[in-house]
Amino acid sequence: MASDYDGVLAPLVDVPSEAVPQPGAAEALARLAAAPGVTVALVSGRGLADLQRTSGLTGELRWIGSHGAEFDGPLTGELAERRDALAARFADLVAGTPGARLEVKPAAVAVHVRQVTDRPAAAALLAAAGALVDPSLTVKPGKDVLEVAVTDADKGSALRRLAAELGAAGVLYLGDDVTDEDAFRALGADDVTVKIGEGVTAAAHRVPDPAAAVQLLEFLADALA
């Protein structure tokens, strides 16, 4: 059982560090992780350290960060240098748009425009940032954010890797954003994919919001019990 964090287990907020888990989420995940034969994984675009610190979640969980780039540990020095060079290219661009924020992650740089009140300016900033990206980088657009990664890892390949490692009979994945579509498309007909919220999706199922996602997890925990 794998899930994205922001927008699924925690409501989307303007300040990422304030994205606390939806009430009941921690308890439901703990119950699922304790069920025989079940592995629970968090699969996020956040860096692993940020994900663990912000969520406050503990217990028998598998952690996959940076869209799968942080699977067995932090990035190598060479990739970190490429990330820092990319951040320097974006810094002046972001500074010129009030409300915009530059986030430097372990494997990527993200331009956030959720707090930009001038929406045309927000769209222009994302377009300008995208124009600076060269073919060696991986663009991961999202909700009011453009993330540019220095690796080609994605949530779908990370989930397949984890499932193979575990010898999993099936995978359930919950996601809400554009980058979660990689996971939905990567999973097979015997797996279960759930989109949280509105929007076009490759997922087979949908629930409206994080509160409903927690209800789904509680239903599963009850069934397994």
Side-chain angles (χ1 to χ4, degrees):
M1 199 296 293
S3 176
D4 186 17
Y5 180 71
D6 295 280
V8 179
L9 300 176
L12 294 174
V13 295
D14 289 338
V15 182
S17 62
E18 297 177 358
V20 298
Q22 179 75 22
E27 293 79 6
L29 291 175
R31 291 178 62 200
L32 287 167
V38 176
T39 296
V40 175
L42 296 187
V43 184
S44 176
R46 289 178 183 257
L48 278 185
D50 178 29
L51 177 61
Q52 292 170 335
R53 179 177 58 253
T54 301
S55 71
L57 296 171
T58 58
E60 297 298 319
L61 304 173
R62 292 293 298 265
W63 300 85
I64 298 174
S66 301
H67 300 287
E70 290 187 289
F71 193 102
D72 288 325
L75 296 185
T76 64
E78 180 182 353
L79 288 175
E81 290 174 3
R82 292 188 65 198
R83 175 206 62 203
D84 292 342
L86 181 61
R89 290 168 63 190
F90 281 170
D92 290 341
L93 193 65
V94 171
T97 303
R101 182 173 63 87
L102 182 66
E103 179 185 11
V104 181
K105 299 184 176 186
V109 175
V111 178
H112 293 270
V113 297
R114 188 179 301 278
Q115 293 181 290
V116 177
T117 56
D118 185 340
R119 301 316 295 170
L125 172 59
L126 294 181
L132 292 178
V133 177
D134 64 63
S136 69
L137 301 169
T138 302
V139 178
K140 299 178 182 293
K143 296 177 180 177
D144 285 328
V145 61
L146 179 72
E147 184 167 321
V148 182
V150 296
T151 76
D152 59 359
D154 62 60
K155 293 181 179 181
S157 59
L159 273 181
R160 289 197 305 269
R161 177 180 173 183
L162 180 59
E165 175 188 312
L166 296 171
V171 178
L172 165 69
Y173 185 69
L174 285 71
D176 76 303
D177 209 343
V178 177
T179 56
D180 296 305
E181 296 298 321
D182 292 327
F184 296 149
R185 289 189 293 266
L187 297 178
D190 292 332
D191 300 313
V192 179
T193 52
V194 184
K195 164 80 170 181
I196 313 302
E198 300 178 351
V200 177
T201 184
H205 308 278
R206 186 191 305 268
V207 297
D209 51 35
V214 172
Q215 289 181 326
L216 171 58
L217 297 180
E218 291 171 339
F219 173 83
L220 291 171
D222 289 343
L224 289 168

CSV table of all heavy atoms in Angstrom, one decimal, residues 44 48 64-75 79 106-108 149-155 157-158 161:
chain,number,residue,atom,x,y,z
A,44,SER,N,6.9,10.3,-2.3
A,44,SER,CA,6.7,11.8,-2.4
A,44,SER,C,7.7,12.5,-3.3
A,44,SER,O,8.8,12.0,-3.5
A,44,SER,CB,6.8,12.4,-1.0
A,44,SER,OG,6.6,13.8,-1.0
A,48,LEU,N,13.5,13.1,1.4
A,48,LEU,CA,13.2,12.2,2.5
A,48,LEU,C,13.2,12.8,3.8
A,48,LEU,O,12.3,12.7,4.6
A,48,LEU,CB,14.2,11.0,2.5
A,48,LEU,CG,13.9,9.8,1.5
A,48,LEU,CD1,14.9,8.7,1.7
A,48,LEU,CD2,12.5,9.4,1.7
A,64,ILE,N,10.2,6.7,0.3
A,64,ILE,CA,10.7,7.0,-1.1
A,64,ILE,C,10.5,8.5,-1.3
A,64,ILE,O,9.4,9.0,-1.4
A,64,ILE,CB,10.0,6.1,-2.1
A,64,ILE,CG1,10.3,4.6,-1.9
A,64,ILE,CG2,10.6,6.5,-3.5
A,64,ILE,CD1,9.5,3.7,-2.8
A,65,GLY,N,11.6,9.2,-1.5
A,65,GLY,CA,11.6,10.6,-1.7
A,65,GLY,C,12.1,11.1,-3.0
A,65,GLY,O,12.6,10.3,-3.8
A,66,SER,N,11.9,12.3,-3.3
A,66,SER,CA,12.4,13.0,-4.5
A,66,SER,C,11.9,12.2,-5.8
A,66,SER,O,12.7,11.9,-6.7
A,66,SER,CB,13.9,13.0,-4.5
A,66,SER,OG,14.4,13.8,-3.4
A,67,HIS,N,10.7,11.8,-5.8
A,67,HIS,CA,10.1,11.1,-6.9
A,67,HIS,C,10.8,9.8,-7.3
A,67,HIS,O,10.8,9.4,-8.4
A,67,HIS,CB,10.0,12.0,-8.2
A,67,HIS,CG,9.3,13.3,-8.0
A,67,HIS,ND1,7.9,13.4,-7.9
A,67,HIS,CD2,9.7,14.6,-7.8
A,67,HIS,CE1,7.5,14.6,-7.8
A,67,HIS,NE2,8.6,15.4,-7.7
A,68,GLY,N,11.3,9.2,-6.2
A,68,GLY,CA,12.0,7.9,-6.5
A,68,GLY,C,13.5,8.0,-6.5
A,68,GLY,O,14.2,7.0,-6.4
A,69,ALA,N,14.1,9.2,-6.6
A,69,ALA,CA,15.5,9.4,-6.7
A,69,ALA,C,16.2,9.0,-5.4
A,69,ALA,O,17.3,8.5,-5.3
A,69,ALA,CB,15.9,10.8,-7.1
A,70,GLU,N,15.5,9.3,-4.3
A,70,GLU,CA,16.0,8.9,-2.9
A,70,GLU,C,15.3,7.5,-2.5
A,70,GLU,O,14.3,7.5,-1.8
A,70,GLU,CB,15.7,9.9,-1.9
A,70,GLU,CG,16.5,11.2,-2.1
A,70,GLU,CD,16.3,12.2,-0.9
A,70,GLU,OE1,15.2,12.8,-0.8
A,70,GLU,OE2,17.2,12.3,-0.1
A,71,PHE,N,15.9,6.5,-3.0
A,71,PHE,CA,15.3,5.1,-2.7
A,71,PHE,C,16.3,4.4,-1.8
A,71,PHE,O,15.8,3.8,-0.8
A,71,PHE,CB,15.2,4.4,-4.0
A,71,PHE,CG,14.4,3.1,-3.9
A,71,PHE,CD1,13.0,3.1,-4.3
A,71,PHE,CD2,14.9,1.9,-3.4
A,71,PHE,CE1,12.3,1.9,-4.2
A,71,PHE,CE2,14.1,0.8,-3.3
A,71,PHE,CZ,12.8,0.8,-3.7
A,72,ASP,N,17.5,4.5,-2.0
A,72,ASP,CA,18.5,3.8,-1.2
A,72,ASP,C,19.4,4.7,-0.4
A,72,ASP,O,20.4,4.3,0.1
A,72,ASP,CB,19.3,2.8,-2.0
A,72,ASP,CG,18.5,1.6,-2.4
A,72,ASP,OD1,17.7,1.2,-1.6
A,72,ASP,OD2,18.7,1.1,-3.5
A,73,GLY,N,19.1,6.0,-0.5
A,73,GLY,CA,19.9,7.0,0.2
A,73,GLY,C,20.1,8.3,-0.6
A,73,GLY,O,19.4,8.4,-1.6
A,74,PRO,N,20.9,9.2,-0.1
A,74,PRO,CA,21.0,10.5,-0.8
A,74,PRO,C,21.7,10.4,-2.1
A,74,PRO,O,22.3,9.4,-2.4
A,74,PRO,CB,21.8,11.3,0.2
A,74,PRO,CG,22.6,10.3,1.0
A,74,PRO,CD,21.7,9.1,1.1
A,75,LEU,N,21.6,11.5,-2.9
A,75,LEU,CA,22.2,11.6,-4.2
A,75,LEU,C,23.8,11.7,-4.1
A,75,LEU,O,24.3,12.0,-3.0
A,75,LEU,CB,21.7,12.8,-4.9
A,75,LEU,CG,20.3,12.8,-5.3
A,75,LEU,CD1,20.0,14.0,-6.2
A,75,LEU,CD2,19.8,11.5,-6.0
A,79,LEU,N,25.5,14.8,-8.8
A,79,LEU,CA,24.2,15.2,-9.0
A,79,LEU,C,23.8,16.4,-8.1
A,79,LEU,O,23.0,17.2,-8.5
A,79,LEU,CB,23.2,14.0,-8.7
A,79,LEU,CG,23.2,12.9,-9.8
A,79,LEU,CD1,22.4,11.7,-9.3
A,79,LEU,CD2,22.8,13.4,-11.1
A,106,PRO,N,16.7,17.5,-2.6
A,106,PRO,CA,17.9,16.7,-2.7
A,106,PRO,C,18.1,16.4,-4.2
A,106,PRO,O,19.3,16.3,-4.6
A,106,PRO,CB,17.5,15.4,-1.9
A,106,PRO,CG,16.6,15.9,-0.9
A,106,PRO,CD,15.7,17.0,-1.5
A,107,ALA,N,17.1,16.2,-5.0
A,107,ALA,CA,17.3,15.8,-6.4
A,107,ALA,C,16.7,16.7,-7.4
A,107,ALA,O,16.7,16.4,-8.6
A,107,ALA,CB,16.7,14.4,-6.6
A,108,ALA,N,16.2,17.9,-7.0
A,108,ALA,CA,15.5,18.8,-7.9
A,108,ALA,C,15.5,20.2,-7.3
A,108,ALA,O,15.8,20.5,-6.2
A,108,ALA,CB,14.1,18.3,-8.1
A,149,ALA,N,14.1,18.1,-12.2
A,149,ALA,CA,15.0,17.1,-11.5
A,149,ALA,C,16.3,16.8,-12.3
A,149,ALA,O,16.3,16.9,-13.5
A,149,ALA,CB,14.2,15.8,-11.3
A,150,VAL,N,17.3,16.5,-11.5
A,150,VAL,CA,18.6,16.1,-12.2
A,150,VAL,C,18.7,14.7,-12.4
A,150,VAL,O,19.7,14.2,-12.9
A,150,VAL,CB,19.8,16.6,-11.3
A,150,VAL,CG1,19.7,18.2,-11.2
A,150,VAL,CG2,19.7,16.0,-9.9
A,151,THR,N,17.7,13.9,-12.1
A,151,THR,CA,17.6,12.5,-12.5
A,151,THR,C,16.3,12.2,-13.2
A,151,THR,O,15.4,13.0,-13.2
A,151,THR,CB,17.6,11.5,-11.2
A,151,THR,OG1,16.4,11.5,-10.6
A,151,THR,CG2,18.7,12.0,-10.2
A,152,ASP,N,16.2,11.0,-13.9
A,152,ASP,CA,15.0,10.7,-14.6
A,152,ASP,C,14.1,9.7,-13.7
A,152,ASP,O,13.2,9.1,-14.3
A,152,ASP,CB,15.3,10.1,-15.9
A,152,ASP,CG,16.1,8.8,-15.8
A,152,ASP,OD1,16.5,8.4,-14.7
A,152,ASP,OD2,16.4,8.2,-16.9
A,153,ALA,N,14.3,9.7,-12.4
A,153,ALA,CA,13.5,8.8,-11.6
A,153,ALA,C,12.1,9.4,-11.6
A,153,ALA,O,11.8,10.6,-11.7
A,153,ALA,CB,14.1,8.8,-10.2
A,154,ASP,N,11.1,8.4,-11.4
A,154,ASP,CA,9.7,8.9,-11.3
A,154,ASP,C,9.0,7.9,-10.3
A,154,ASP,O,9.6,6.8,-10.0
A,154,ASP,CB,9.0,8.9,-12.6
A,154,ASP,CG,8.9,7.6,-13.3
A,154,ASP,OD1,8.3,6.6,-12.8
A,154,ASP,OD2,9.4,7.5,-14.5
A,155,LYS,N,7.8,8.3,-9.9
A,155,LYS,CA,7.1,7.5,-8.9
A,155,LYS,C,6.8,6.1,-9.4
A,155,LYS,O,6.7,5.1,-8.7
A,155,LYS,CB,5.9,8.2,-8.4
A,155,LYS,CG,6.3,9.5,-7.6
A,155,LYS,CD,5.0,10.2,-7.1
A,155,LYS,CE,5.3,11.4,-6.3
A,155,LYS,NZ,4.1,12.1,-5.8
A,157,SER,N,8.4,4.1,-11.7
A,157,SER,CA,9.6,3.2,-11.7
A,157,SER,C,9.9,2.9,-10.2
A,157,SER,O,10.4,1.7,-9.9
A,157,SER,CB,10.8,3.8,-12.4
A,157,SER,OG,11.2,5.1,-11.8
A,158,ALA,N,9.8,3.8,-9.3
A,158,ALA,CA,10.1,3.5,-7.9
A,158,ALA,C,9.1,2.5,-7.3
A,158,ALA,O,9.5,1.6,-6.6
A,158,ALA,CB,10.0,4.8,-7.1
A,161,ARG,N,9.9,-0.9,-8.7
A,161,ARG,CA,11.2,-1.4,-8.0
A,161,ARG,C,10.8,-1.9,-6.6
A,161,ARG,O,11.3,-3.0,-6.3
A,161,ARG,CB,12.2,-0.3,-8.0
A,161,ARG,CG,13.5,-0.6,-7.2
A,161,ARG,CD,14.4,0.5,-7.2
A,161,ARG,NE,15.6,0.3,-6.4
A,161,ARG,CZ,16.5,1.2,-6.2
A,161,ARG,NH1,16.4,2.4,-6.7
A,161,ARG,NH2,17.6,0.9,-5.4
